[in-house]
Amino acid sequence: MADQANGLPEHVPYHLAVIMDGNGRWAKARNLPRLAGHRAGVENLRRILRACSEFGIKILTIYAFSTENWGRPEAEVRGLMNILESVIDRELNQLHANGVQLRHIGELSGLSPVLQQKVRRAIELTRNNDQLILNVAFNYGGRQELIQAFRRIVKDGIPPEEIDETLIDYYLYTAGQPDPDLIVRTAGEMRLSNFLLWQCSYAEYYSTPVYWPDFDREELLKAITNYAQRERRFGLVPQSS
Ligand code: FPP
């Protein structure tokens, strides 16, 4: 799509999902501890939130802690928990003032009671905001999300013939939200890593070698400009044929 006068592509993704990878490598390249990379990642999140608002992206889903991340060294796991807690403590009022609606996707029950309480309060406080939805995937796994959905479907006694895509959508953590249009992965890997397995069926995929802490407004603009040039076919034939 041709750029508009403001330099933005005509079609920006409504829902952007990001795998924020490369914090550790960013830190290592600077002889810093891994947690310094995660802290730089949080700083970058601030920039990217601002850019999303500027570009008109309405939903941002970030992969902050996967169910597999529990296997990392204990100090790193504790550090990531502390980062989530301090992000809520320090940033919640500003996020709220900026009209950000915070949501959590994943299993809250795996977190400490204090952290669970803080996350619940943040969700409650921001629930009517409508500038941007920020889904924080924390203790999230795509397969676990499907398992909890199937379990609840069975528990609710849904007859098999009533199980369709709409019904499954309803049982996911992302119930009520449109699927991601674009999924961005930083730091060069080419895999989904158990992220939004159901929801990303038709998402466009963009991978960049840039580490997450360096993935700034200009890099996001590159990603959405690339996205705008794609023809999304959803399994159909090209429009020109
Ligand atoms: C991947 O980099 C990143 C993570 C596992 C954590 C991402 C977390 C943040 C940016 C901070 C948390 C944000 C919130 C909102 C709580 P990596 O450590 O796998 O990097 P590497 O592959 O280079 O080692």
Side-chain angles (χ1 to χ4, degrees), residues 20-26 34 38 41-42 45 62-64 69 72 76 80 83-84 87 136 138 212:
M20 310 180 288
D21 200 6
N23 294 344
R25 278 165 280 175
W26 182 93
R34 291 179 58 81
H38 295 314
V42 172
L45 195 49
I62 54 166
Y63 206 5
N69 287 154
R72 291 193 173 202
E76 183 168 348
L80 285 165
I83 285 177
L84 176 62
V87 165
V136 180
F138 203 96
W212 171 251

Side-chain angles (χ1 to χ4, degrees), residues 62-134:
I62 54 166
Y63 206 5
F65 191 90
S66 75
T67 45
E68 289 72 33
N69 287 154
W70 291 107
R72 291 193 173 202
E74 202 201 317
E76 183 168 348
V77 170
R78 209 174 331 111
L80 285 165
M81 298 292 154
N82 290 341
I83 285 177
L84 176 62
E85 194 170 336
S86 68
V87 165
I88 297 175
D89 290 344
R90 283 187 296 129
E91 312 285 345
L92 182 59
N93 288 342
Q94 193 60 45
L95 289 167
H96 186 39
N98 291 342
V100 174
Q101 183 186 133
L102 269 167
R103 296 199 188 179
H104 168 256
I105 61 173
E107 287 302 322
L108 254 195
S109 58
L111 310 186
S112 75
V114 172
L115 196 45
Q116 288 185 38
Q117 187 55 30
K118 289 190 178 188
V119 172
R120 285 208 185 88
R121 186 178 155 261
I123 293 168
E124 184 54 34
L125 177 73
T126 61
R127 62 190 301 218
N128 295 321
N129 293 343
D130 59 6
Q131 285 307 297
L132 178 101
I133 293 177
L134 175 62

Side-chain angles (χ1 to χ4, degrees), residues 187-204:
E189 312 298 347
M190 299 280 189
R191 47 178 183 268
L192 266 183
S193 298
N194 205 15
F195 191 41
L196 303 174
L197 297 181
W198 174 275
Q199 298 90 331
C200 279
S201 295
Y202 285 102
E204 295 294 325

Side-chain angles (χ1 to χ4, degrees), residues 166-197:
T166 310
L167 184 108
I168 290 178
D169 280 340
Y170 176 81
Y171 279 87
L172 298 178
Y173 302 133
T174 49
Q177 299 186 31
D179 287 342
D181 302 293
L182 174 65
I183 175 157
V184 168
R185 181 163 190 154
T186 57
E189 312 298 347
M190 299 280 189
R191 47 178 183 268
L192 266 183
S193 298
N194 205 15
F195 191 41
L196 303 174
L197 297 181

